[in-house]
Every structure is written in C-alpha cells, then in structure tokens.
C-alpha cells in the first residue's frame, strides 16, 4: 500500500514518525506494508531534524506525485483551499483514496470532494479535521447512524479554550492570555483564525453536516470570536456560577411552516460550572452530542498538535488501506436531509447583559419596559454600585440582567434599544448564556 504524503509540517512530520515507529503493527492490521511513495512540500531543502525518512522522497510536485501509478492513497496535511482542492479532486477522480485534515477546505467546498470521491469510487476520510485526536467523525458517520442526533455542542478550538481557561483561572485579560498561548506554542503567529472563530466555524460546519445528514458550509455558520471577552465578563460569569467558553452549537429546529431546519453558530457563551463542558480546560477539546436513543454522549481529548492529529490521520489511513485491499470503499456522503439553515435571528438563546445605568427612581422600570416591548422575559436582575464603589442616590449603578430563552433577533433589538436610552450610560457587555445556567 503506497502513500503520497502532501505536507510535512507539524502534522505531516508526525505522520512520518508514526508510519516509521508503528510500521510492523500497521502492516499487520492492514494486511500489507505501508510505504511512503513520496512527500510533497514547499521547500525540499528545509531542515527537518531527525525525521526517519529518505530525503530523496521529497518533491515540490504534488500533482506529479498524486498521478503516479504506484500511489494508492493520498494523505493531505498542507491545508488551505487551493491548490489542495485541485489535488484532492484529481486524486479522488482517479480512484485514489484520500485522507485529509483540511477543515478549511471541507467546510468551504466539501461537496467538490464528496462528488469526486463518488465519481472515482474512492474513500474520503477526514477524522483529523475536527477535534484532532478525538474519535468523533467516525462515531457520527458510523456508530450513530441508526440514531437521530438533535444537538451537538462543542469546544473545538484548543487555542481559544486555553486563552479563556487562563482568563478564568488567573484573572488575566485577553491580550495577556493570548501572549501566554503564543509563548507556549498553542496560538500561531497570526492567531486570527482561532480567536475570531473561523477555525471553530469550519469545524462546526463539518459536524453539522455529518450529524444532520445535510450540507452546511462555513458561510452558513454564525461566527463570533473571543476578542471582546473582558475580565469583567469573566468575573460576572463567576458570580453566576458560570465560566465562559467558545462554543460551537449545531441544533435541529423547525421554521414557521413546520419545516425542519438546522442552526449552526460559534460564539462565546456563559455555561454553568456544572455543565460537562465547563471543566474542559487548557487546550483540550470536547464535544457533547445529544441523540434521541443514545441520550447524551461526550467526546474529550486533545484537539490539536502534531502527534494527536497524526494519530487520527493514521487511523483513517488504516481504514482506507483495508478498504482498498478488500476492493471496497465506504458509503459516500449522506446529505439526503437537505435541511435549510436557520438565520441566527431565529436561534433561541439567552442573554446576560451588563449595563451601567443612572441610579434614580424609575430606571429599573424603564429598562424592564424595553425587554417587555421586545417580548423578552427577564429571568434575574442584580443591581450593585457602579465599579463596586459605595452605593447612593444620584450615582451610577451596575445592572446585570439575565433573560429567559428568546429569539436572538429579539434579544439583539432589546440591546439596541437599551443603548439608545439616556438613563443607560453604557452597555458594558452582552453574552449569550447556554446550558441551563
Ligand atoms: P504546517 O504549516 O505545519 O505544514 C504545512 C506543510 O505543507 C509543510 O510541510 C509545507 O511545506 C507544505 N506546503 C505548504 N504549501 C505547499 C504547497 N503549495 N505545495 C506543497 N507543500 C506545501 O501545517 P500543519 O501541519 O499544522 O497543518 C496541516 C493541516 O492539518 C491543515 O489543514 C490544518 O488545518 C490541519 N490540522 C492541523 C492541526 C494542528 O494542530 N497543527 C490540528 C488539526 C488539523 P514546507 O515543510 O516545505 O514548508
Ligand atoms: N488552531 C487549532 C486549535 C488547531 O487551536 O484548535 C486544531 O485544529
């Protein structure tokens, strides 16, 4: 069984190491030895340390490598949309099975890959693309295929989980926690994809597509990052017995006509400390799946890093290699449900709103009136002196309001109107609340 490896960076180099150290076991499990036919990289001359591989295998011609007759399986760990899409479509159409960790491509244009796999009669496996080492996509795609999944809630980005966990544990601000994540090698030099939620949104699209048998792309996902989460937000969460996590939430729903829909969103949210995802610290990932018959399931582990991700890649390599030896390939994409994606405004959620208001008679009534006008029910109200200073008439006051569940559009309109009131000095923060807090 001969592999073309595209990419030999953080993940690819660990794939090479595992192929080397586990060679005998992998051969026994597959029923044939696995050999690297070639490794496509950008810079052939790059110093790759003590990588256990023949330097003559490196090439800068990925297409040439893919097209070779002696290549059975293509492993892509380069990333990005193009040229990766063209390479993988070429491989799949030629009947070569593909294993990829490329979440950005799968979320942007997974359909092109699935169509090419169906056309070529080849396998397309991508376990490593979501939540690194955690076996998650195979359970969704195979083990839970007899069940009906209603909701998937996850922490699927390690960098942001590290930052939020540090803010929670030490009281650090976002910038300070990001610096620590960068120093420890969690955050990349350009952390935009992680902290602005793009990485989590791509993973959310992949999860929703598999869980609900429909096509969801990154563009369908409502996305907000964690750059606006403040020390005060974290303190407020703590005061409520909560913490703040960047969540990906994919849920079934129904539209006004009773048609089935799906909503997919990524944003920071308060969750109660009793929620299973609250204790997921450091750079770990976890995904909570709610299915009709199976009930609640939780998947937990390392969502990033060379070796953990390579473990998922190798698991896929074994599966596709075994399929090829058996002259078979796995069932193609299941997207029969064709659900429409619900706009974020219709998503049902709760808000935690911190206001700095003028402290005088009638203010609470005016604020409550705004909520009532938008049909948003208030669950709790907490008032204290502004900035924690001594309370007294004529000074400002902090008002913390938590709502019951309402459509996101109604909540957003409420906040919009509050911002326009002259008794409201400022809307200090708005955070969604999830998980029964
Ligand atoms: P790296 O940037 O570390 O490695 C990328 C590799 O691709 C390098 O070997 C590079 O060559 C090669 N490459 C880049 N452009 C080209 C090109 N045009 N032609 C040929 N080779 C090219 O990326 P990672 O290993 O971190 O990530 C790889 C994939 O895995 C991405 O899709 C990522 O999203 C995904 N992933 C990564 C995780 C992680 O923790 N790192 C976790 C889960 C998924 P050279 O070595 O010469 O620079
Ligand atoms: N940047 C990603 C993270 C890598 O922090 O989780 C894994 O996809």
């Amino acid at each position: 069984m001969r592999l073309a490896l595209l990419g030999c960076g953080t993940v690819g180099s660990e794939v090479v190491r595992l192929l080397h150290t586990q060679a005998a076991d992998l051969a026994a499990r597959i029923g044939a030895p696995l050999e690297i036919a070639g490794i496509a990289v950008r810079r052939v001359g790059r110093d790759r340390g003590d990588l256990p591989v023949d330097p003559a295998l490196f090439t800068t011609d990925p297409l040439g490598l893919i097209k070779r007759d002696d290549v059975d399986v293509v492993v892509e760990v380069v990333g990005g949309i193009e040229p990766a899409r063209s390479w993988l479509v070429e491989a799949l159409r030629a009947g070569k099975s593909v294993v990829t960790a490329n979440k950005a491509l799968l979320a942007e244009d997974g359909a092109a890959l699935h169509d090419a796999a169906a056309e070529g009669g080849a396998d397309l496996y991508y376990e490593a693309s979501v939540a690194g080492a955690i076996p998650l996509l195979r359970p969704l795609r195979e083990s839970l295929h007899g069940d009906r999944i209603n909701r998937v809630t996850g922490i699927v980005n390690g960098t942001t989980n590290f930052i939020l966990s540090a803010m929670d544990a030490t009281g650090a601000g976002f910038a300070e926690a990001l610096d620590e994540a960068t120093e420890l090698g969690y955050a990349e030099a350009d952390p935009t994809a992680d902290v602005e939620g793009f990485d989590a949104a791509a993973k959310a699209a992949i999860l929703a597509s598999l869980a609900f048998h429909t096509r969801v792309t990154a563009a369908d996902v409502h996305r907000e990052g964690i750059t606006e989460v403040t020390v005060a937000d974290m303190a407020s969460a703590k005061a409520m017995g909560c913490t703040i996590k960047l969540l990906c939430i994919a849920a079934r729903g129904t539209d006004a006509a009773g048609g089935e829909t799906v909503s997919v969103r990524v944003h920071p949210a308060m969750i109660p400390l009793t929620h299973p995802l609250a204790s997921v610290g450091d750079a770990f990932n976890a995904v909570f799946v709610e299915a009709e018959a199976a009930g609640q399931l939780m998947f937990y582990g390392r969502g990033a890093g060379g070796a953990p991700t390579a473990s998922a890649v190798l698991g896929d390599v074994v599966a596709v290699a075994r399929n090829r030896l058996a002259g078979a390939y796995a069932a193609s994409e299941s997207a029969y449900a064709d659900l429409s994606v619900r706009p974020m405004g219709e998503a049902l959620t709760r808000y935690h709103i911190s206001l700095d208001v003028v402290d005088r008679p009638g203010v609470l009534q005016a604020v409550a009136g705004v909520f009532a006008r938008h049909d948003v029910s208030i669950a709790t109200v907490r008032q204290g002196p502004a900035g924690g200073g001594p309370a007294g008439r004529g000074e400002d006051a902090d008002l913390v309001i938590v709502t019951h569940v309402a459509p996101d559009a109604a909540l957003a309109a409420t906040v919009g109107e509050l911002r326009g009131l002259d008794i409201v000095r400022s809307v200090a923060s708005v955070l969604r609340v999830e998980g029964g807090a």
Side-chain angles (χ1 to χ4, degrees):
M1 201 50 59
R2 309 248 309 155
L3 306 184
L5 180 62
L6 312 183
C8 192
T10 306
V11 179
S13 57
E14 291 304 322
V15 169
V16 170
R17 257 183 256 284
L18 277 182
L19 282 170
H20 179 75
T21 54
Q22 314 261 48
D25 282 333
L26 291 170
R29 287 170 203 168
I30 292 166
L34 276 177
E35 280 171 25
I36 300 178
I39 306 177
V41 291
R42 202 171 25 190
R43 297 159 290 173
V44 166
R46 181 180 172 186
D47 177 10
R48 298 181 196 274
D50 59 351
L51 205 61
V53 72
D54 179 356
L57 289 175
F58 286 99
T59 170
T60 50
D61 179 13
L63 262 185
L65 175 59
I66 290 164
K67 286 180 178 169
R68 269 169 50 179
D69 289 340
D70 63 341
V71 166
D72 303 293
V73 175
V74 174
V75 177
E76 186 265 316
V77 281
V78 170
I81 310 301
E82 283 295 351
R85 173 171 44 200
S86 304
W87 298 337
L88 299 192
V89 165
E90 172 81 29
L92 290 162
R93 282 196 185 138
K96 299 182 183 190
S97 296
V98 163
V99 173
T100 177
N102 193 335
K103 61 223 159 188
L105 173 56
L106 285 155
E108 163 106 0
D109 196 8
L113 303 187
H114 288 293
D115 291 351
E119 207 179 305
D123 272 329
L124 171 62
Y125 276 50
Y126 45 97
E127 183 66 65
S129 65
V130 181
I134 307 174
L136 173 63
L137 303 193
R138 206 84 65 79
L140 290 178
R141 170 163 143 160
E142 295 174 9
S143 322
L144 289 164
H145 239 192
D147 208 335
R148 179 182 164 87
I149 296 171
N150 289 321
R151 190 177 167 97
V152 178
T153 311
I155 295 170
V156 292
N157 183 268
T159 307
T160 48
N161 201 50
F162 178 88
I163 293 170
L164 291 172
S165 301
M167 288 174 73
D168 185 39
T170 66
F174 169 77
E176 200 186 325
L178 172 59
D179 284 348
E180 195 187 346
T182 310
E183 257 167 49
L184 291 172
Y186 291 118
E188 297 191 24
D190 177 2
T192 311
D194 291 321
V195 299
E196 295 293 358
F198 291 102
D199 176 80
K203 292 166 179 170
I206 296 168
L207 286 177
S209 302
L210 282 173
F212 307 128
H213 305 271
T214 191
R215 272 189 185 157
V216 177
T217 68
D220 295 321
V221 181
H222 173 86
R223 176 196 53 78
E224 293 170 31
I226 64 161
T227 53
E228 311 279 305
V229 176
T230 63
V231 171
D233 290 335
M234 201 53 96
S236 212
K238 277 191 170 174
M240 282 177 58
C242 291
T243 188
I244 299 173
K245 296 289 186 191
L246 181 70
L247 295 185
C248 107
I249 301 171
R252 285 184 190 276
T254 42
D255 60 22
E260 265 204 275
T261 61
V262 60
S263 68
V264 193
R265 49 196 164 105
V266 166
H267 54 70
M270 288 187 181
I271 52 170
L273 295 175
T274 50
H275 191 283
L277 291 177
S279 56
V280 177
D282 208 46
F284 280 85
N285 283 192
V287 177
F288 193 63
V289 176
E290 294 166 68
E292 218 128 275
Q296 299 178 332
L297 302 156
M298 175 114 153
F299 300 83
Y300 171 85
R302 291 194 187 279
T309 309
S311 163
V313 169
L314 260 290
D316 281 356
V317 167
V318 170
V320 304
R322 285 173 62 108
N323 286 350
R324 281 188 83 79
L325 280 181
Y329 57 94
S332 61
E333 179 197 24
S334 168
Y336 68 90
D338 198 21
L339 305 178
S340 61
V341 179
R342 208 171 183 187
M344 182 59 191
E346 292 176 18
L348 296 176
T349 180
R350 294 188 297 143
Y351 272 19
H352 168 285
I353 303 160
S354 292
L355 304 171
D356 178 2
V357 296
V358 176
D359 192 4
R360 65 163 184 250
V363 166
L364 207 51
Q365 187 186 26
V367 168
V370 175
F371 284 81
R373 266 196 296 288
H374 294 282
D375 205 19
V376 173
S377 177
I378 293 173
T380 62
V381 180
R382 204 177 69 229
Q383 183 178 328
R393 283 176 73 106
E395 294 180 14
D396 288 0
D398 284 338
L399 211 51
V400 176
I401 297 173
V402 181
T403 71
H404 285 298
V405 168
D408 198 79
L411 290 159
T414 304
V415 173
E417 193 177 334
L418 288 171
R419 283 189 209 277
L421 293 186
D422 43 359
I423 50 161
V424 175
R425 301 255 195 243
S426 71
V427 177
S429 89
V430 180
L431 271 167
R432 296 188 182 82
V433 184
E434 299 287 338

